[in-house]
Amino acid sequence: MGWPVMHSRSPLLHNYWFKRHGLAGTYVPLAIRPEGLAEALRALHPLGFAGVNLTIPHKQHAMTLVDEVDPVAIRIGAISCVVVRPDGSLTGSNNDCYGFIHNVKQAEPGWRASAGPVVVLGAGGGARAVCYGLLQEGAKKIRLVNRTLARAKGIAAELGSAIEASPWEYRHDALEGAAMAVNATSQGMSGQPALDIRLDKLPKGALAADIIYTPLETPFLAAARNRGNRTVNGLGMLLHQGRPAWKTWFGIEPEVTAELRALMEKSLVAPDN
Ligand SMILES: NC(=O)c1ccc[n+]([C@@H]2O[C@H](COP(=O)([O-])OP(=O)(O)OC[C@H]3O[C@@H](n4cnc5c(N)ncnc54)[C@H](OP(=O)(O)O)[C@@H]3O)[C@@H](O)[C@H]2O)c1
């Protein structure tokens, strides 16, 4: 469920897994206006849905509409997934953080969150999940830089003293000595200007990650790659967040295979094919 939602690549992902696991199901995009969200969620049970994923702009509002929210989602402050239980009650969880961390681990098996300071750019819903995941993985210091400082301060206040909130002007200098830099803003997404950042202070050994996956390589990642940094794009975050969703919906843990990744990449590079 999202608004808009028809651009979503999630049906391609989940329908690949339905086929692979031989389940007689289908995953459909549901374009739900914000004012219709409560009724749409309550209709899931009579319509026979096992659950839904939620995307912009529903992740926070939906949290107030479901019957139960798991502790991770409460801490992150948003839900990305709903499970419909047999009695029709709804449970919300947040799998974005799992998706982000497992994507980085699959791409960089030797990666450690505790290797050094991590710079997170942005303080929206995605950034919250990223920060929570990094802390869970043992990050000792997160430099959280956001255009609206108050939002970064809000995350720091909620998630703890390892997060240092800084104003947007500091973004270039924040990269000094960092082990990792993550773009969790919407800047660099198709239709948006590139993230405005100078990378000269980013150590060459640092990992650069983006949570955006349209385009697969954002200008931020291209600039980092061109100067010799290793990079991780956002597609795997989308792929990996689907695994815990399937676990709760169907008791199956599907794999993020090379074939699946190639299928998704092809649809992003040539969306009309
Ligand atoms: N790969 C995945 O599975 C996945 C999952 C979640 C999100 N995403 C992607 O991540 C991006 C962010 O999503 P979100 O849900 O976190 O969105 P969001 O809650 O709307 O947050 C957007 C963030 O971008 C910042 N921003 C917007 N315009 C900016 C500008 N001109 N200059 C600097 N910063 C700017 C915002 O700063 P302010 O606070 O100042 O407004 C905020 O920090 C989207 O592109 C989304 O598609 C990907």
Side-chain angles (χ1 to χ4, degrees):
M1 288 183 181
W3 184 263
V5 79
M6 298 317 287
H7 64 285
S8 171
R9 291 300 186 286
S10 290
L12 188 60
L13 162 67
H14 292 278
N15 287 323
Y16 169 88
W17 281 335
F18 273 121
K19 199 168 163 200
R20 195 174 171 97
H21 290 275
L23 292 194
T26 189
Y27 186 104
V28 290
L30 298 172
I32 305 296
R33 291 176 190 274
E35 60 273 22
L37 183 62
E39 280 174 288
L41 286 170
R42 288 298 156 198
L44 290 171
H45 183 247
L47 288 170
F49 280 86
V52 281
N53 283 134
L54 299 161
T55 187
I56 290 174
H58 299 320
K59 288 184 181 183
Q60 279 164 312
H61 184 207
M63 195 165 158
T64 66
L65 302 174
V66 296
D67 302 294
E68 200 185 320
V69 178
D70 84 4
V72 170
I74 290 175
R75 202 93 173 92
I76 295 172
I79 61 175
S80 65
C81 178
V82 172
V83 176
V84 181
R85 289 192 296 230
D87 65 357
S89 62
L90 305 172
T91 307
S93 58
N94 190 312
N95 301 324
D96 286 342
C97 140
Y98 176 99
F100 174 74
I101 295 297
H102 285 78
N103 178 37
V104 175
K105 284 184 171 175
Q106 190 178 39
E108 290 281 324
W111 174 78
R112 296 284 172 275
S114 57
V118 183
V119 176
V120 177
L121 301 145
R128 276 177 170 270
V130 167
C131 288
Y132 180 82
L134 289 168
L135 293 173
Q136 289 298 106
E137 288 295 313
K140 305 272 186 303
K141 178 64 70 191
I142 297 175
R143 298 172 187 159
L144 181 61
V145 191
N146 193 46
R147 180 180 63 173
T148 308
L149 179 58
R151 286 183 94 187
K153 282 187 170 168
I155 296 179
E158 283 171 48
L159 295 184
S161 59
I163 301 182
E164 194 178 80
S166 299
W168 195 231
E169 307 78 71
Y170 179 62
R171 63 195 180 283
H172 318 290
D173 292 337
L175 300 174
E176 190 157 8
M180 182 180 192
V182 185
N183 176 32
T185 72
S186 51
Q187 299 298 280
M189 199 176 159
S190 304
Q192 294 283 330
L195 178 66
D196 171 20
I197 192 163
R198 289 192 311 271
L199 299 183
D200 47 300
K201 294 205 170 150
L202 183 69
K204 290 276 163 63
L207 181 64
D210 208 310
I211 69 167
I212 291 171
Y213 61 89
T214 48
L216 277 172
E217 186 177 64
T218 59
F220 166 68
L221 288 189
R225 181 175 54 77
N226 282 332
R227 63 191 294 283
N229 292 96
R230 287 163 297 127
T231 63
V232 180
N233 69 38
L235 176 60
M237 178 173 173
L238 176 74
L239 302 180
H240 282 273
Q241 59 78 35
R243 300 185 71 224
W246 267 60
K247 180 95 191 295
T248 49
W249 294 335
F250 309 120
I252 292 171
E253 279 184 277
E255 291 302 312
V256 175
T257 60
E259 181 190 48
L260 171 59
R261 196 179 278 270
L263 178 78
M264 298 290 287
E265 282 177 0
K266 192 173 159 216
S267 92
L268 289 165
V269 173
D272 296 332
N273 292 342

